[in-house]
Amino acid sequence: MSEKTKVVVAIMLSIIIIYIAWMIAFPVENVTEEPNNIESGEVSNQEEDLMYTINKVSDTQLDLITTNEYTKTTTKYFFKDGKVSNVIVTEEILSGDFAEEVLAGIKADENISQIYDEISLEGNVITMTLKQDYVNVYEGLTYQELYDELTKSLKISVE
């Protein structure tokens, strides 16, 4: 994995961990939990409270899903001509009571505004589109190479 790719993955995972820490600091009552349905083509790793899943959605989309009892974060990698063309991150807050507060925290963070073009809220789902400069970090990585690198860097084992 190139150094730029490692930096982008580290930044994205750092953001996820910040949100999780925030959610733990301000616990939510009556959080709903989703069943863990692992489908064919997915890999997973349980580390503390985080669950990572890589889902081969189609030949043009690869999803990295990180879940805990408070949030579900999906990083969607879209491919065109065999290369990453767009990256969209969705953060689903499993309790709608905190979605607006999390959005405010995201928008207040200078680092996030430098990484993402668009940040929006619909219901309890925050959607962020990665700026093209950061998408370009994945230049040269094919679908399978990104899948392999994510699996390796997150120490995910194929089930």
Side-chain angles (χ1 to χ4, degrees):
M1 182 182 298
S2 74
E3 191 63 33
K4 289 181 182 179
T5 304
K6 288 180 183 177
V7 169
V8 170
V9 169
I11 290 171
M12 294 171 80
L13 291 175
S14 298
I15 291 169
I16 292 167
I17 291 168
I18 289 169
Y19 299 138
I20 292 168
W22 186 80
M23 296 300 273
I24 290 170
F26 301 99
V28 180
E29 293 182 21
N30 299 323
V31 175
T32 59
E33 293 187 23
E34 294 183 19
N36 183 14
N37 296 323
I38 304 292
E39 299 175 3
S40 176
E42 295 182 342
V43 292
S44 62
N45 178 33
Q46 182 72 37
E47 183 177 307
E48 295 180 19
D49 292 343
L50 296 177
M51 175 72 162
Y52 300 103
T53 305
I54 299 177
N55 187 1
K56 293 181 175 183
V57 176
S58 68
D59 290 342
T60 60
Q61 184 179 342
L62 179 66
D63 290 355
L64 169 61
I65 303 165
T66 306
T67 57
N68 73 5
E69 63 182 301
Y70 303 109
T71 62
K72 177 181 177 183
T73 304
T74 304
T75 305
K76 300 176 182 182
Y77 299 90
F78 295 94
F79 292 80
K80 184 176 181 180
D81 299 326
K83 305 293 179 189
V84 178
S85 63
N86 195 17
V87 178
I88 296 176
V89 177
T90 61
E91 178 85 16
E92 180 180 359
I93 310 303
L94 300 178
S95 171
D97 298 344
F98 279 89
E100 290 181 12
E101 293 175 32
V102 173
L103 177 66
I106 290 171
K107 287 187 172 185
D109 188 325
E110 287 182 24
N111 293 326
I112 293 175
S113 64
Q114 293 175 4
I115 298 171
Y116 297 97
D117 273 330
E118 300 172 24
I119 301 172
S120 62
L121 174 66
E122 187 173 321
N124 65 336
V125 178
I126 300 167
T127 302
M128 303 176 284
T129 303
L130 197 64
K131 288 186 177 185
Q132 192 60 45
D133 288 346
Y134 289 94
V135 173
N136 292 342
V137 168
Y138 297 102
E139 184 177 12
L141 283 180
T142 65
Y143 184 99
Q144 188 62 46
E145 290 169 337
L146 179 59
Y147 177 86
D148 293 343
E149 290 296 336
L150 288 171
T151 301
K152 180 180 173 186
S153 67
L154 296 173
K155 297 181 176 126
I156 297 174
S157 59
V158 178
E159 292 190 353

